[in-house]
């Protein structure tokens, strides 16, 4: 498993209408940062389990966000600008939301590299300390996190050449704050997930989105993260809870739902856009995954 995050710069910078920016270059070696504009309604979004702790910080807007572990019960929070989620679970989770205002709902994802977290644990607890375990937070508020995430946002979006000293200083400061303020009281050991690190899982998901209308090429995805086909398949399932082919189907259905909600494209064209040459096959898969036929889904929206 790679500890570093700098290879995240190999990701595409944009997914139209969703991904605004991705961290690149040596200033971000301890962090993997992405900024998103989220759509007003999201029926389901899978957050893969990765080794690195993740902060999701609300940059603007407000929404009712529901989350659950796969197959679990939904739990709801209303979040606004400055609120945050801290996710450390070794299991993937699922989100859905509906915005509460007309203001764009923007969020920033910040993954903290494992070497950085180990250094923070040693700094706080001494050289004999075990790697820190953090607790989950949903819809929390924290003035320190808000202040420092605001500066990271500005470096990500507004600086052609982000300051290495500033970004790495903020990364260290945030990591120490997490260890001091959000240490887990649980004595239960985290289950080893053995999944892909953050930059690799996001590289794979970007490739899936780019080729969503094509047949799954498992070897191409495995080569993108420098793994054998079998190792990649096992690691991907540990991160997401799904095989690559099952996850591609989820992505296709997510895009199809969005096109049915937001466009007037004929159902046949939507099926083609997400990789189904046969209208009947598209309808069959959509009904199995969503519960209704594509035309009925559009009518209910």
């Amino acid at each position: 498993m790679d500890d570093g995050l700098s290879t995240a710069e190999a990701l595409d910078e944009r997914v139209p209408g969703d991904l605004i920016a991705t961290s690149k270059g040596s200033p971000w070696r301890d962090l993997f940062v992405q900024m998103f504009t989220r759509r007003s309604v999201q029926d389901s979004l899978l957050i893969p389990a990765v080794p690195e702790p993740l902060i999701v910080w609300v940059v603007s807007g407000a929404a009712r966000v529901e989350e659950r572990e796969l197959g679990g019960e939904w739990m709801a929070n209303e979040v606004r600008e400055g609120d945050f989620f801290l996710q450390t679970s070794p299991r993937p989770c699922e989100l859905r939301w509906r915005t509460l205002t007309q203001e764009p709902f923007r969020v920033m994802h910040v993954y903290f590299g494992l070497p950085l977290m180990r250094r923070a644990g040693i700094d706080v607890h001494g050289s004999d300390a075990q790697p820190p375990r953090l607790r989950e937070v949903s819809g929390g508020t924290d003035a320190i996190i808000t202040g420092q995430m605001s500066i990271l946002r500005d470096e990500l979006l507004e600086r052609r050449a982000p300051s290495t000293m500033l970004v790495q200083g903020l990364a260290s400061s945030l990591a120490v704050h997490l260890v001091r303020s959000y240490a887990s009281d649980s004595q239960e050991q985290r289950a080893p997930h053995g999944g892909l690190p953050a930059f690799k899982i996001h590289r794979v998901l970007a490739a899936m989105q780019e080729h969503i209308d094509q047949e799954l090429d498992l070897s191409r995805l495995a080569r993108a993260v420098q793994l054998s086909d079998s190792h990649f398949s096992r690691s991907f399932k540990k991160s997401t809870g799904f095989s690559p082919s099952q996850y591609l189907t989820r992505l296709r259905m997510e895009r199809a739902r969005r096109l049915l909600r937001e466009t007037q494209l004929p159902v046949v064209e939507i099926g083609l856009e997400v990789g189904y040459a046969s209208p009947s096959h598209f309808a069959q898969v959509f009904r199995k995954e969503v519960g209704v036929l594509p035309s009925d889904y559009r009518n209910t929206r």
Side-chain angles (χ1 to χ4, degrees):
M1 182 180 68
D2 289 281
D3 279 339
L5 295 177
S6 61
T7 317
E9 64 191 56
L11 281 169
D12 290 338
E13 185 165 357
R14 288 177 181 271
V15 175
D18 199 10
L19 180 62
I20 299 172
T22 297
S23 57
K24 290 185 176 183
S26 58
W28 306 91
R29 68 187 182 198
D30 291 320
L31 300 174
F32 175 38
V33 183
Q34 293 184 305
M35 179 87 75
F36 298 90
T37 296
R38 294 304 194 186
R39 292 171 174 84
S40 58
V41 176
Q42 180 75 38
D43 292 331
S44 175
L45 179 69
L46 188 68
I47 303 296
V50 296
E52 301 92 346
L54 164 65
I55 286 181
V56 180
W57 181 62
V58 180
V59 178
S60 66
R64 176 181 169 86
V65 179
E66 295 179 87
E67 58 184 328
R68 67 175 180 181
E69 289 191 352
L70 295 182
E73 296 292 326
W74 289 103
M75 297 180 293
N77 287 281
E78 290 192 3
V79 296
R80 299 183 180 276
E81 179 179 337
D83 292 346
F84 76 99
F85 294 80
L86 175 59
Q87 297 179 335
T88 63
S89 174
R91 292 171 289 277
C93 69
E94 192 172 9
L95 300 180
R96 65 186 184 190
W97 64 80
R98 184 178 298 272
T99 57
L100 302 174
T101 68
Q102 295 300 313
E103 187 179 7
F105 185 43
R106 293 193 176 121
V107 297
M108 190 163 76
H109 289 200
V110 179
Y111 293 87
F112 292 80
L114 297 183
L116 171 66
M117 297 307 300
R118 284 196 288 267
R119 294 197 301 271
I122 291 171
D123 182 72
V124 173
H125 298 299
S127 59
D128 295 331
Q130 296 296 315
R133 295 199 303 274
L134 305 178
R135 58 186 171 87
E136 300 272 312
V137 178
S138 297
T141 58
D142 185 312
I144 292 176
I145 288 177
T146 290
Q148 299 192 359
M149 295 285 275
S150 298
I151 301 172
L152 281 178
R153 173 199 58 202
D154 294 344
E155 290 296 301
L156 179 68
L157 296 180
E158 299 178 9
R159 302 291 181 182
R160 186 178 298 274
S163 166
T164 297
M165 288 184 66
L166 179 58
V167 171
Q168 292 182 4
L170 289 167
S172 296
S173 177
L174 279 166
V176 168
H177 180 63
L178 291 178
V179 172
R180 284 178 170 175
S181 302
Y182 297 98
S184 173
D185 295 328
S186 173
Q187 298 303 309
E188 180 182 351
Q189 294 293 321
R190 286 166 54 90
H193 47 62
L196 296 169
F199 77 89
K200 286 192 173 184
I201 195 69
H202 283 276
R203 186 187 298 172
V204 170
L205 299 186
M208 283 186 166
Q209 291 280 9
E210 183 181 356
H211 301 283
I212 200 168
D213 61 338
Q214 301 173 20
E215 291 296 319
L216 180 73
D217 187 340
L218 185 66
S219 295
R220 176 175 54 80
L221 295 176
R223 287 195 303 272
V225 291
Q226 301 177 321
L227 296 175
S228 68
D229 291 7
S230 58
H231 188 186
F232 166 70
S233 294
R234 289 194 300 271
S235 297
F236 185 89
K237 187 165 186 178
K238 287 178 180 178
S239 287
T240 66
F242 296 92
S243 69
S245 61
Q246 290 171 328
Y247 197 88
L248 178 61
T249 298
R250 285 181 62 96
L251 291 179
R252 286 173 165 177
M253 294 304 104
E254 179 184 333
R255 183 172 296 186
R257 289 197 301 267
R258 187 168 72 244
L259 292 171
L260 288 165
R261 285 196 310 265
E262 300 176 3
T263 76
Q264 295 302 315
L265 285 173
V267 171
V268 172
E269 289 188 26
I270 291 174
L272 288 171
E273 184 158 333
V274 297
Y276 296 94
S278 165
S280 61
H281 187 205
F282 171 55
Q284 179 184 20
V285 174
F286 190 94
R287 185 171 187 174
K288 179 181 178 181
E289 296 293 324
V290 182
V292 296
L293 292 171
S295 56
D296 294 333
Y297 181 85
R298 168 171 277 170
N299 291 336
T300 61
R301 296 285 160 166

